[in-house]
Amino acid sequence: MSTPDRTPGDPLPSHRAVENLIARYAELVDDGDFAGLGALLADATFTGSGEPVSGRDAIEKMFHDTLIVYADGTPRTQHVTTNIAVEVDEQAGTAVSRAYVTVLQALPDLPLGPIAGGRYHDRFERRDGQWRFVERRVRINLIGDVSRHLRAAQA
């Protein structure tokens, strides 16, 4: 579907391309696609509760080692990303963003509910005409029962 200022085949406006990367991250985590996360963040440094991790293989391994995956191949979560603010510097080919994240989880013996809430602080670069993550910093400041989400759950 095209918009009045865009014809089919035109690249997305930069802020929309960045928002799509943020959404793609949530989809990949919730799908349990850690190889996809490694590819998405291949040029990035990821900082969560542990030491910063950089590069495709290290990021993929960190997700494998950290998140519990169930028989359906997913962590049984839904990452809801809201309050997204994107600032783009078109000339420099860079962008920064801030967003809220709420993580929901449901299992047969765990009713659907929030298990964590926090913020994402991201940096992006445009290389060869494509936007990509160069940094994702996750700050979780509201923690519920993550014992069925994280392998080394600390409440």
Side-chain angles (χ1 to χ4, degrees), residues 5-84:
D5 60 342
R6 213 171 144 245
T7 58
D10 280 352
L12 288 175
S14 295
H15 72 280
R16 181 64 66 208
V18 167
E19 288 172 349
N20 285 353
L21 290 172
I22 294 167
R24 186 71 182 134
Y25 171 89
E27 293 169 350
L28 291 168
V29 173
D30 294 335
D31 288 346
D33 185 350
F34 303 146
L37 282 166
L40 181 72
L41 300 170
D43 298 315
T45 298
F46 181 96
T47 305
S49 59
E51 291 296 314
V53 180
S54 298
R56 178 188 307 250
D57 294 339
I59 288 171
E60 180 179 347
K61 181 181 183 327
M62 184 266 309
F63 279 99
H64 271 291
D65 293 349
T66 304
L67 300 184
I68 298 169
V69 175
Y70 292 89
D72 67 354
T74 76
R76 306 280 303 167
T77 56
Q78 185 109 27
H79 285 66
V80 180
T81 311
T82 60
N83 300 21
I84 300 171

Side-chain angles (χ1 to χ4, degrees), residues 76-78 102-107 110-116 144-146:
R76 306 280 303 167
T77 56
Q78 185 109 27
T102 303
V103 183
L104 306 171
Q105 187 176 40
L107 295 161
L110 178 71
L112 176 66
I115 61 168
D145 181 358
V146 294

Side-chain angles (χ1 to χ4, degrees), residues 131-144:
W131 285 97
R132 63 192 71 204
F133 278 96
V134 293
E135 182 180 35
R136 166 150 277 192
R137 287 181 292 130
V138 180
R139 301 285 183 256
I140 300 298
N141 50 17
L142 301 173
I143 300 174

